């Protein structure tokens, strides 16, 4: 009987490209959604996220917080922003 290997090096090759971009400063620091404000577009907005219009999105990351006011009414889960004090 052949043993199945779940952790092969080939499974993790795709991780190298994002890590290289992050290390070179191409993407910036990752920030994760922390809080948000929204308006209801329908009667069932508490249960159905598609009936929400987001007005403020606050992200938290290694270099601090980042607040955005989206034009399209949507917040992403992750936002990449340049590190504070970095050349733009």
């Amino acid at each position: 009987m052949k043993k199945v290997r779940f952790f092969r090096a080939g499974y993790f090759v795709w991780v190298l490209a994002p890590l290289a971009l992050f290390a070179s400063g191409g993407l910036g620091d990752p920030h994760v959604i922390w809080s948000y404000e929204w308006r209801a577009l329908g009667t069932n907005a508490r249960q159905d996220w598609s009936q929400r219009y987001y007005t403020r999105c606050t992200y938290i990351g290694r270099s601090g917080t980042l607040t955005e006011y989206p034009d399209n009414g949507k917040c992403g889960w992750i936002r990449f922003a340049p590190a504070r004090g970095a050349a733009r």
Side-chain angles (χ1 to χ4, degrees), residues 63-87:
S63 60
T65 60
L66 172 69
T67 300
E68 291 183 341
Y69 301 94
D71 294 331
N72 60 358
K74 298 183 180 189
C75 292
W77 289 91
I78 298 175
R79 169 84 162 85
F80 290 95
R84 292 184 179 158

Side-chain angles (χ1 to χ4, degrees), residues 21-64:
L21 282 173
F22 178 69
S24 69
L27 286 177
D29 286 338
H31 290 70
V32 180
I33 189 82
W34 181 256
S35 67
Y36 47 82
E37 290 179 5
W38 54 276
R39 289 183 306 171
L41 295 178
T43 57
N44 198 18
R46 287 224 179 261
Q47 289 81 20
D48 188 5
W49 291 7
S50 66
Q51 294 183 1
R52 295 180 182 181
Y53 186 86
Y54 293 93
T55 57
R56 182 189 54 81
C57 310
T58 301
Y59 300 89
I60 190 168
R62 181 175 64 170
S63 60

